[in-house]
Amino acid sequence: MLSTLASGVAFHPGYLGPREAAALLSTLRTAVAAAPLFTPRMPRTGKPFSVRMTNCGPLGWVSDERGYRYQPNHPETGALWPPIPEIALQAWLELAGYPHPPEACLVNYYAPGTRMSLHQDRDEADFAAPVVSLSLGDTAVFRIGGTSRSDPTRSIRLASGDALVLGGSSRLAFHGIDRILAGSSRLLAEGGRFNLTLRRVTRP
Ligand code: MD6
Ligand code: FE
């Protein structure tokens, strides 16, 4: 079932079934072994994020005192990022409605108790491409508003296997994660949640 919450927001609950979610997690484990989760830091202040991150694909999103940017290599190991998991590429083909492949797959890991403050995804050169997000593990309380920080917001619970697409007039909507519902999924033995966001970074 697809539901449209606002223009350009498409929510696909249960997009990945439990077996597909488990298969994607298994590929993700391999990727994280090659490109370990790191703790990003805020530009200027250097304040650490509570979420840990890594990336797959030709480009990865990183943040540190020097700012937000995309780069081809891991900030700690220097290695190129591992490939984007096949199941995630398939989700892009089915959901993005955009005729060029994604270049970055940001992987966020939320331990119970962590959150992501309200932000826009705007470090990409081409906002014609949507951002496609996949959730694995514990349910997250996701908040989404409009293109001004002060616009009213609404909450959606993102459960394991759910896909969310931000495109069109919602491509630059403010959004964030208020909290993780600890123990809501048994997919991750360690608990918590992985979120994958697929992005086109450069103009094709
Ligand atoms: C998360 N998601 O679900 C955070 N960004 O953990 C995002 O920041 C996000 O879900 C752009 C488009 C869709 C998203
Ligand atoms: Fe985002």
Side-chain angles (χ1 to χ4, degrees), residues 51 106 108 110 116-117 119-121 130-135 140 142 144 158 164-167 170-171 173 175-177 180 193-199:
V51 168
L106 172 62
N108 292 144
Y110 298 76
M116 169 89 71
S117 57
H119 67 275
Q120 293 171 296
D121 287 24
V131 178
V132 173
S133 134
L134 298 170
S135 294
F142 180 84
I144 180 160
L158 297 180
L164 182 73
V165 184
L166 294 192
S170 293
R171 174 62 180 77
H175 59 277
I177 297 290
I180 300 296
R193 169 178 183 260
F194 279 110
N195 168 252
L196 286 73
T197 47
L198 295 148
R199 301 105 184 278

Side-chain angles (χ1 to χ4, degrees), residues 21-190:
L24 177 55
L25 175 63
S26 152
T27 313
L28 205 55
R29 297 287 196 202
T30 305
V32 171
L37 293 166
F38 60 92
T39 299
R41 285 170 283 109
M42 290 296 291
R44 294 183 300 281
T45 64
K47 183 178 182 288
F49 286 46
S50 65
V51 168
R52 292 189 298 149
M53 295 179 176
T54 189
N55 290 272
C56 299
L59 291 171
W61 187 87
V62 301
S63 179
D64 60 21
E65 282 88 341
R66 290 158 48 206
Y68 304 138
R69 63 191 176 277
Y70 283 95
Q71 61 182 46
N73 55 290
H74 191 287
E76 293 175 356
T77 70
L80 297 179
W81 305 107
I84 299 177
E86 202 54 50
I87 291 174
L89 287 174
Q90 186 64 34
W92 177 271
L93 283 177
E94 290 180 7
L95 304 179
Y98 182 81
H100 304 282
E103 296 170 297
C105 175
L106 172 62
V107 177
N108 292 144
Y109 174 71
Y110 298 76
T114 61
R115 52 190 303 283
M116 169 89 71
S117 57
L118 214 62
H119 67 275
Q120 293 171 296
D121 287 24
R122 54 179 312 150
D123 300 315
E124 301 76 31
D126 190 4
F127 298 139
V131 178
V132 173
S133 134
L134 298 170
S135 294
L136 294 175
D138 284 343
T139 297
V141 181
F142 180 84
R143 178 182 295 278
I144 180 160
T147 52
S148 296
R149 190 174 279 281
S150 56
D151 286 341
T153 61
R154 59 159 295 173
S155 278
I156 316 170
R157 288 185 177 210
L158 297 180
S160 194
D162 291 357
L164 182 73
V165 184
L166 294 192
S169 53
S170 293
R171 174 62 180 77
L172 293 175
F174 278 89
H175 59 277
I177 297 290
D178 288 341
R179 65 195 187 95
I180 300 296
L181 305 180
S184 51
S185 164
R186 293 171 57 175
L187 181 61
L188 306 193
E190 71 275 43

